[in-house]
Amino acid sequence: MKPKLLILFLMVCLPSLVAAQSPQIEVSLTNSGEAKLLASFTVPKGLYLYQDMIEVSIVSPKTVVLKEPQFPKGITKKDQFTGEDRVVYEKSAIVPVEIKIRPAEALSLKVELSYQACTDVACLLPQVKEFTIELPGYSEASPAAAGSSSAPAKAPKGSTTAEGLMAA
């Protein structure tokens, strides 16, 4: 009976112990121009970030709609729990998310960014961070209306972009 209790204890407590002792992922969400948000992740050594666990969503106002994130190329890794191949990011990743529908007036967006990271031993609890982003108003004369946006923010040195390029 005691070995079963020990196994149960380890299954329940080990992820929490690993999370408490693991360095945390640095996360930011910025407006890179009139029609694009950039979710940036800095992943400490020993952790990796699951691509399929990254989500960006608008909390308010609901009149703003986002396109699907443009994920950079990652590393395929076999999940130690499911045995499935999953795409992960190590070191850093920048994920652009274009704004599909937005109002004419400038406003503040409340945006949630969720993600989950793991080590080779256990996974950290899923994280949800909320950001407030200032969004300029849309007009017919703006670059976004003409099909181009202002220059995107410069990627941090050594990070992977959606095009799969390393920033210098």
Side-chain angles (χ1 to χ4, degrees):
M1 182 70 173
K2 287 186 181 186
K4 288 181 182 178
L5 287 175
L6 178 60
I7 291 170
L8 180 62
F9 173 80
L10 289 174
M11 288 175 57
V12 171
C13 295
L14 187 59
S16 297
L17 292 172
V18 169
Q21 296 175 353
S22 295
Q24 296 298 305
I25 292 176
E26 292 180 33
V27 179
S28 68
L29 185 69
T30 57
N31 179 5
S32 74
E34 289 194 24
K36 189 184 295 183
L37 303 176
L38 291 178
S40 301
F41 300 90
T42 302
V43 185
K45 186 175 183 174
L47 287 177
Y48 51 89
L49 183 66
Y50 282 121
Q51 181 187 71
D52 60 352
M53 295 297 288
I54 297 172
E55 293 182 11
V56 182
S57 59
I58 300 293
V59 175
S60 69
K62 295 294 185 182
T63 55
V64 177
V65 178
L66 299 176
K67 291 183 179 181
E68 291 297 315
Q70 300 301 305
F71 291 108
K73 182 178 179 182
I75 300 165
T76 302
K77 186 174 184 90
K78 188 168 288 293
D79 186 293
Q80 73 266 26
F81 303 108
T82 65
E84 296 176 6
D85 286 340
R86 294 175 73 181
V87 177
V88 300
Y89 301 110
E90 297 175 337
K91 297 182 184 175
S92 65
I94 297 175
V95 181
V97 182
E98 290 189 36
I99 299 170
K100 184 175 181 180
I101 299 174
R102 51 188 271 217
E105 70 279 353
L107 51 81
S108 291
L109 293 179
K110 286 201 186 304
V111 182
E112 277 188 353
L113 178 60
S114 59
Y115 59 95
Q116 184 174 22
C118 293
T119 68
D120 287 332
V121 177
C123 288
L124 305 178
L125 295 173
Q127 299 292 308
V128 177
K129 306 277 184 183
E130 189 170 287
F131 296 87
T132 300
I133 304 290
E134 298 304 316
L135 187 68
Y138 173 84
S139 71
E140 292 300 319
S142 72
S148 65
S149 63
S150 52
K154 187 174 180 182
K157 187 174 182 177
S159 63
T160 305
T161 64
E163 293 80 24
L165 304 173
M166 293 295 286

